[in-house]
Amino acid sequence: MITEAQRLQSVQEYYFSKKLQEIANMQTDIPIISLGIGSPDLQPHPAVIEELIKNAQNGINGYQSYRGIPEMREAMATFYKSKFNVDANPSTEILPLMGSKEGIMHISMAFLNEGDKVLIPNPGYPTYSSVTELVQAEPLFYDLTNENDWLPDFDQLEKLAEQKPKIMWINYPHMPTGAKAPKDVLRKLVEFATRHQILIVNDNPYSFILNDEPTSILEIEGAKDVCIELNSLSKTFNIAGWRIGMVIGKETFINSILKVKSNMDSGMNFAIQKAAAKALLVDNSWYDELTTIYAERRKAIWEIADLLHVKYNPDTAGMFIWAKLPEGIDDKEFIDEILYTKKFFITPGSIFGSNGKGFIRFSLCALIEKLIEVKKRLEA
């Protein structure tokens, strides 16, 4: 009998893969409205589309460099300098990725051996733990709690450091909670990583969604020695399906990741790279427009949350609203009841870890008209 690899025994199909199929199979008389996934529904900047079309028609269709075209890497460097005041050499310290999710696997394969320990936030993006298990490393979950504003408990981290973890995943602005990390917390994380020689990977795709103070851990003095950062164009520039991300860090780290990446793909489409470079250099009016749209949607989601009698923190960033259910209510049962009676989908917090139990997450990636319809269904 042909059997699957043992490494898959601890990994399940991604929650949204199964849940969206369940929703697709539902028999319903009215359309189901999804407030579950952070897939941007807005259009890219018109100049970005024009750049894509122009370069798609110019006949350059072959495999490109594994490191990406110089113009895109230079745009990434300019973006990091202008937005975060971080200097990165576009030739040696920036590696374009086919989405930052790809980078999670590349980084794990580049630095982890079987049995290595990995610090993973609870709650956090499920891919951190699933990829850790796929490469047969061992997750060490560190707690993020509502009481501590979803920031790390450094006393707990010091105890976990005794097990000599090799990588620590962080993600601020945090998904799913939207918590922002003050620079003093990032500074303490860099000091912690330096003291214990842990590679911190900051997954940073939400900095420009409803956030007045975008930050990068690479801004912190000494960070480049122990930190790398993942970023993505998907959320900020509304090009999620184009699969464009990046990892930034010192040359030795980038070269290790490139060893993996160059054996797993054959270079990103030229036209998409040219369009990505254009996106990274748009003026500030783009970010202002994005903020205006998401702020209107966020207000509507808050009204939906009030109708559901769930509590939320208005001082968060990113494209999600994280809300606490009344005590004793199971989050998965709650979202299923809403799905089957009111015909809209919310994400249960427990899929992000045990500390997400009793919470739900709303996505802002829905037209305001759909949010108004959700309110009508709840008020009916």
Side-chain angles (χ1 to χ4, degrees):
M1 181 181 294
I2 298 173
T3 59
E4 67 182 20
Q6 190 173 358
R7 69 175 62 89
L8 294 183
Q9 299 305 307
S10 59
V11 177
Q12 302 299 317
E13 183 183 356
Y14 195 45
Y15 171 81
F16 288 114
S17 174
K18 292 190 293 184
K19 196 66 180 179
L20 293 181
Q21 187 58 53
E22 176 189 334
I23 291 170
N25 292 337
M26 283 177 60
Q27 300 292 321
T28 177
D29 54 344
I30 57 174
I32 294 171
I33 297 172
S34 177
L35 304 182
I37 296 179
S39 179
D41 62 310
L42 300 170
Q43 289 297 305
H45 193 290
V48 174
I49 297 294
E50 291 171 11
E51 190 74 10
L52 177 70
I53 294 170
K54 180 178 71 176
N55 286 282
Q57 293 173 334
N58 73 6
I60 301 177
N61 294 314
Y63 295 132
Q64 301 301 306
S65 165
Y66 295 103
R67 290 183 179 269
I69 63 173
E71 183 179 345
M72 184 170 68
R73 283 186 276 110
E74 288 161 9
M76 289 172 171
T78 299
F79 176 81
Y80 256 73
K81 180 63 177 177
S82 65
K83 303 302 181 188
F84 301 120
N85 197 29
V86 168
D87 291 304
N89 186 319
S91 298
T92 59
E93 295 183 321
I94 296 176
L95 182 63
L97 302 168
M98 291 182 181
S100 57
K101 190 173 185 179
E102 178 194 53
I104 297 170
M105 175 62 82
H106 290 350
I107 291 164
S108 298
M109 292 184 72
F111 295 103
L112 295 174
N113 296 311
E114 183 177 349
D116 281 343
K117 309 291 197 304
V118 181
L119 288 165
I120 295 173
N122 174 16
Y125 186 32
T127 299
Y128 303 145
S129 55
S130 61
V131 167
T132 296
E133 290 170 343
L134 280 171
V135 299
Q136 297 178 296
E138 181 181 335
L140 295 178
F141 292 100
Y142 65 92
D143 290 318
L144 305 178
T145 64
N146 194 30
E147 295 71 24
N148 197 38
D149 298 322
W150 308 104
L151 296 170
D153 177 338
F154 283 90
D155 290 336
Q156 184 195 34
L157 287 182
E158 287 296 335
K159 291 177 182 176
L160 290 170
E162 294 173 5
Q163 298 186 53
K164 300 190 181 304
K166 194 170 184 183
I167 285 179
M168 178 179 184
W169 291 97
I170 67 169
N171 163 221
Y172 289 103
H174 182 247
M175 198 292 294
T177 70
K180 296 176 280 189
K183 284 192 178 178
D184 65 318
V185 171
L186 297 179
R187 194 170 291 111
K188 288 178 71 174
L189 283 165
V190 171
E191 292 168 356
F192 168 76
T194 302
R195 191 161 54 250
H196 296 287
Q197 284 302 286
I198 298 168
L199 176 64
I200 286 183
V201 188
N202 185 36
D203 190 10
N204 190 17
Y206 298 104
S207 271
F208 296 93
I209 308 295
L210 296 173
N211 188 18
D212 293 333
E213 296 183 358
T215 56
S216 163
I217 198 167
L218 298 178
E219 296 176 63
I220 306 301
E221 184 178 356
K224 273 194 180 180
D225 290 329
V226 289
C227 301
I228 56 180
E229 184 158 285
L230 285 170
N231 216 317
S232 168
L233 277 68
S234 297
K235 316 298 183 183
T236 303
F237 301 107
N238 301 330
I239 52 177
W242 297 21
R243 309 310 304 144
I244 306 166
M246 67 190 93
V247 58
I248 298 181
K250 71 177 182 180
E251 183 175 4
T252 53
F253 294 150
I254 294 298
N255 286 343
S256 296
I257 299 165
L258 180 61
K259 288 181 184 178
V260 176
K261 177 178 170 58
S262 62
N263 282 288
M264 293 185 69
D265 70 53
S266 295
M268 196 184 302
N269 176 272
F270 178 80
I272 288 178
Q273 292 191 66
K274 292 283 284 186
K278 179 70 73 172
L280 288 158
L281 301 178
V282 296
D283 63 39
N284 286 334
S285 64
W286 170 258
Y287 302 94
D288 295 339
E289 181 181 350
L290 209 61
T291 296
T292 299
I293 293 169
Y294 280 125
E296 182 186 21
R297 294 178 177 190
R298 178 175 62 182
K299 184 174 181 294
I301 292 285
W302 287 344
E303 292 169 358
I304 291 168
D306 290 338
L307 289 170
L308 291 171
H309 307 293
V310 297
K311 296 181 180 179
Y312 52 87
N313 178 4
D315 185 25
T316 58
M319 54 175 52
F320 303 105
I321 301 300
W322 182 249
K324 185 172 178 21
L325 294 167
E327 289 297 326
I329 295 181
D330 181 90
D331 52 291
K332 287 187 176 180
E333 291 177 1
F334 180 86
I335 71 104
D336 277 345
E337 181 180 355
I338 292 293
L339 174 60
Y340 283 91
T341 62
K342 301 298 182 179
K343 304 299 190 294
F344 69 92
F345 171 53
I346 317 164
T347 303
S350 56
I351 73 164
F352 302 106
S354 60
N355 289 342
K357 289 180 179 178
F359 291 84
I360 55 175
R361 190 195 73 176
F362 302 88
S363 168
L364 301 181
C365 298
L367 295 172
I368 193 70
E369 292 81 6
K370 291 187 176 182
L371 301 180
I372 292 170
E373 173 62 22
V374 167
K375 287 194 290 180
K376 287 179 180 177
R377 293 181 189 182
L378 288 172
E379 291 168 337

